[in-house]
């Protein structure tokens, strides 16, 4: 059974600092997705990682995928308050017809 | 282009009632998936439809059902509502896993 674990679950950061969120998964997958969720809102797609070694960057966020280690990272550079949200990684079940297994989410709070 | 549209946005129902939620996918997307989000259980897969066929179902009781129409619009139905069914219900549409999944704004269901 596929399990997806994120850590940390809560992260309080100072503005301007860097940090990394980790997403480990338990069975083989060559794809992984990152989403952002603001309180009371839906999921906003951040990154679609489709192969081993994939790296994507958007603004202060950079995501990478290591399929051999079954690990993805979401790196935050020089955090700003607007990045405060909950971040989820999701992995598709192999042969699972678009069934995604989500991590528990990392709640990020960026403060001055 | 139009996104994924879910209606209604909010619902309050009484225990024992039934409810129907609607999801209109992005034009051209034939896959629609449904997820339940609660503070305790996180994001859990309910089911996925493709070309009017349910291809996968999550671990939910039979009170949860769905269908998809020929225009790819999907509905999910929950019968005999329980307090624990209170949740944010999200649907996602996809062209393929390679392009990722776009989520709707969700329907927040409260059972009293």
């Amino acid at each position: 059974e596929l399990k997806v674990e994120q850590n940390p679950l809560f992260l309080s950061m100072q503005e301007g600092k860097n940090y990394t969120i980790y997403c480990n998964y338990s069975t083989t997958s060559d794809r992984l997705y990152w989403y952002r969720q603001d309180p009371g809102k839906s999921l906003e797609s951040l990154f679609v990682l489709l192969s081993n070694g994939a790296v994507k960057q958007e603004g202060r966020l950079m995501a990478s995928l290591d399929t051999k280690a079954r690990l993805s990272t979401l790196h935050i550079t020089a955090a700003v308050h607007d990045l405060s949200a909950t971040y989820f990684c999701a992995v598709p079940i192999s042969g699972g017809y678009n069934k995604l297994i989500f991590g528990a989410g990392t709640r990020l709070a960026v403060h001055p | 282009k139009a996104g994924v549209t879910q209606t209604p946005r909010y619902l309050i129902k009484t225990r024992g009632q039934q409810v129907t939620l609607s999801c209109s996918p992005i034009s051209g997307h034939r896959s629609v998936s449904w997820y339940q989000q609660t503070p305790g259980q996180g994001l859990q897969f309910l089911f996925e439809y493709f070309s009017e066929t349910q291809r996968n179902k999550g671990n939910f009781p039979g009170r949860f059902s769905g269908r998809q129409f020929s225009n790819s619009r999907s509905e999910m139905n929950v019968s005999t509502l329980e307090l624990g069914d209170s949740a944010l219900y999200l649907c996602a549409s996809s062209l393929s896993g390679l392009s990722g999944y776009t989520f709707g704004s969700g329907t927040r269901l409260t059972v009293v």
Side-chain angles (χ1 to χ4, degrees):
Chain A
E1 180 188 341
L2 173 60
K3 293 191 188 313
V4 180
E5 292 185 353
Q6 283 183 240
N7 69 84
L9 297 183
F10 300 98
L11 179 53
S12 179
M13 293 179 65
Q14 255 189 320
E15 283 187 329
K17 298 291 189 184
N18 304 333
Y19 208 83
T20 300
I21 298 170
Y22 297 89
C23 175
N24 291 89
Y25 53 98
S26 61
T27 64
T28 302
S29 178
D30 59 359
R31 280 185 272 154
L32 188 138
Y33 309 91
W34 283 97
Y35 291 90
R36 166 182 172 145
Q37 187 176 41
D38 292 293
K41 305 290 187 181
S42 185
L43 298 173
E44 174 192 352
S45 179
L46 293 175
F47 299 109
V48 177
L49 303 172
L50 298 176
S51 62
N52 185 42
V55 177
K56 291 198 173 179
Q57 182 162 7
E58 180 74 33
R60 301 174 188 273
L61 300 177
M62 183 173 71
S64 66
L65 178 61
D66 181 342
T67 59
K68 293 177 182 175
R70 300 176 186 169
L71 170 69
S72 180
T73 60
L74 180 65
H75 187 73
I76 302 157
T77 302
V80 293
H81 179 72
D82 283 354
L83 290 179
S84 298
T86 300
Y87 293 85
F88 293 92
C89 61
V91 179
I93 291 273
S94 176
Y97 296 120
N98 298 326
K99 176 178 179 177
L100 296 177
I101 303 299
F102 281 83
T106 296
R107 188 179 300 175
L108 172 65
V110 181
H111 54 86
Chain B
K1 65 181 182 185
V4 179
T5 303
Q6 288 189 248
T7 57
R9 291 293 307 277
Y10 303 94
L11 266 178
I12 300 176
K13 290 286 188 179
T14 305
R15 272 182 300 174
Q17 287 186 312
Q18 76 164 23
V19 67
T20 300
L21 313 181
S22 178
C23 173
S24 293
I26 291 172
S27 178
H29 287 193
R30 293 161 68 188
S31 170
V32 174
S33 308
W34 289 88
Y35 291 83
Q36 181 196 65
Q37 185 177 28
T38 59
Q41 299 298 316
L43 281 150
Q44 293 186 285
F45 174 83
L46 280 156
F47 25 64
E48 189 254 4
Y49 287 88
F50 183 89
S51 293
E52 303 179 65
T53 300
Q54 185 183 91
R55 297 196 297 185
N56 208 340
K57 190 177 192 310
N59 190 23
F60 280 82
R63 301 184 297 106
F64 291 81
S65 63
R67 59 179 174 168
Q68 187 179 35
F69 302 96
S70 59
N71 62 357
S72 294
R73 189 177 72 85
S74 178
E75 289 181 347
M76 67 164 281
N77 183 276
V78 188
S79 62
T80 319
L81 284 165
E82 300 177 359
L83 294 178
D85 297 334
S86 295
L88 179 66
Y89 289 88
L90 295 164
C91 81
S93 81
S94 172
L95 187 60
S96 78
L98 299 178
S99 57
Y101 304 86
T102 303
F103 282 80
S105 299
T107 294
R108 184 163 296 281
L109 172 65
T110 302
V111 182
V112 297

